[in-house]
Amino acid sequence: MPRYDLAAMTRRAMPGMRKRSIVLRDIDPPGTLATNLFRAVYNPVVQAWAAGAERIIAAYSATVSEMTTDAPADVRAEIDGAAEQINRLVLLLTPEVRDWALRTEQWYRVKWRGAVLSATGVDLETMIGAGDVRASLETSIEWNVALVKDVSDVTRQKISNAVFDGLRNRTPAREVASTIRDSVGMSRKRATRIASDQLNKLTSALAEERRREAGIDTWISGHSRKAHPRLNHQARDGNEYTDETAPQDLPGRLLMCCRSQAVVTFDD
C-alpha cells in the first residue's frame, strides 16, 4: 500500500494544472559512489591478497628449488594463512558496507525529494526517511558482504590452482609468480565491476520503493548506455510501463542493467 498519494498532493499543490502526467527527472547515480564502495570495502581485500601473493610466491620459489617432501605443505600453509587473515578482514568490513549503503540512500533520498519538488511543487522532506527503505538497505548490505567474501574465495582458488599446477608441472617460479599476480589483478577488475553493479542495483531498488510508496505505478525504462547493451532492454528505452504491464526482468535486476524513471499520472 502507498504511504502517500503524490498525484493527489500534486493536484492540491498545483490546482490549475491540466496535465495528464508528469515525468520525474532521471536520477543517475555518480560513479564516485561506486568508487567509494570499492575503496572502502573491496579494495582492502584485494590489497590483502596482493600482499599475501608475494609471500606465496616466495614460498613457491623456495619449494621449487628444494622440492622436499614437506615443501608443498609449506606453500599451502602460506595460502591458508593469507585466506584466514582475509576472512577476518571481511568480517570487519560489514560496518563499512552499512555506512556506504546509508550514505547512498541519503544521496538518493535528496535527489528524489528534489525531483518531486521541482516537478510537482510537493516537498517530501518530512515524509520520507531511511527507515522506509530498510529492506532494500539490508539486502544490499548482506549481498555486498557475500560478494566481498566471494571475491576473496575466487582469488584464493585461482592462486591455489596456479601454485599446485606449477608444482605438479615443475613450472618456473617466475611464470607462476606472473600467473598469481595476474589473478590478483583480475580480482581487482572484477571487484570494480561488482561495486558499479551494486550501486546500480541499490539505487534501482530505492527508485522502485520510493515510487511505490508515493502511489506511482507508471514508469519509463531507460537502458544503461553501456557499450554492449541487452538488445531487448535497448528496445524498451523510453517505453512507458505500469506495474501490471512491466516485463519480468525489471530495471536494475540484472548485471549492469537499466534504470526506471517515475511518471506521476492523474485521473481525467
Side-chain angles (χ1 to χ4, degrees):
M1 290 292 293
R3 292 184 57 249
Y4 58 92
D5 187 339
L6 183 57
M9 295 168 67
T10 302
R11 284 293 195 198
R12 291 193 293 270
M14 306 170 68
M17 186 190 64
R18 294 294 179 264
K19 294 181 180 180
R20 296 183 61 184
S21 66
I22 295 176
V23 180
L24 301 187
R25 66 175 176 238
D26 184 28
I27 301 176
D28 185 9
T32 52
L33 290 174
T35 300
N36 291 343
L37 175 61
F38 171 76
R39 288 177 176 171
V41 177
Y42 289 90
N43 195 47
V45 170
V46 174
Q47 290 296 98
W49 270 115
E54 296 307 314
R55 296 191 296 272
I56 294 165
I57 289 169
Y60 178 87
S61 299
T63 298
V64 167
S65 63
E66 297 172 6
M67 283 310 296
T68 62
T69 302
D70 295 334
D74 293 340
V75 184
R76 168 62 69 187
E78 285 292 346
I79 295 173
D80 290 346
E84 183 179 349
Q85 178 183 359
I86 292 165
N87 285 340
R88 291 195 297 269
L89 173 62
V90 169
L91 294 176
L92 297 174
L93 289 172
T94 301
E96 297 291 341
V97 179
R98 183 174 298 277
D99 181 67
W100 173 82
L102 289 171
R103 288 178 181 273
T104 300
E105 186 284 324
Q106 183 182 38
W107 175 88
Y108 191 90
R109 185 172 4 119
V110 170
K111 294 298 182 181
W112 171 256
R113 176 194 168 199
V116 170
L117 180 60
S118 65
T120 69
V122 176
D123 191 348
L124 301 175
E125 181 178 16
T126 61
M127 300 185 63
I128 58 176
D132 310 331
V133 292
R134 186 177 296 110
S136 291
L137 291 175
E138 293 301 326
T139 298
S140 178
I141 291 165
E142 293 301 323
W143 202 345
N144 274 281
V145 170
L147 284 170
V148 171
K149 189 175 186 306
D150 183 67
V151 167
S152 178
D153 290 344
V154 170
T155 307
R156 175 183 181 173
Q157 188 60 57
K158 287 181 177 180
I159 290 175
S160 295
N161 290 345
V163 165
F164 292 105
D165 282 349
L167 289 175
R168 184 165 50 250
N169 298 315
R170 301 296 191 269
T171 305
R174 65 178 181 279
E175 293 182 24
V176 172
S178 178
T179 301
I180 289 174
R181 292 177 182 129
D182 285 347
S183 297
V184 175
M186 286 187 287
S187 294
R188 181 178 289 105
K189 291 178 181 178
R190 178 179 175 233
T192 301
R193 292 193 298 270
I194 287 173
S196 180
D197 180 57
Q198 285 300 301
L199 171 63
N200 187 56
K201 281 183 166 55
L202 176 54
T203 53
S204 294
L206 293 173
E208 190 175 329
E209 287 205 58
R210 291 301 180 196
R211 174 175 62 76
R212 288 178 174 169
E213 74 176 359
I216 302 172
D217 71 348
T218 305
W219 46 274
I220 295 172
S221 181
H223 83 88
S224 62
R225 312 292 176 188
K226 62 186 179 184
H228 304 287
R230 298 174 179 86
L231 295 181
N232 61 328
H233 286 203
Q234 188 176 32
R236 298 173 192 165
D237 187 46
N239 291 354
E240 189 172 289
Y241 298 94
T242 67
D243 288 343
E244 291 185 356
T245 64
Q248 186 174 8
D249 50 339
L250 293 173
R253 298 293 177 86
L254 300 179
L255 180 67
M256 306 298 287
C257 194
C258 312
R259 296 193 308 276
S260 65
Q261 197 169 349
V263 181
V264 185
T265 58
F266 306 98
D267 296 331
D268 290 338

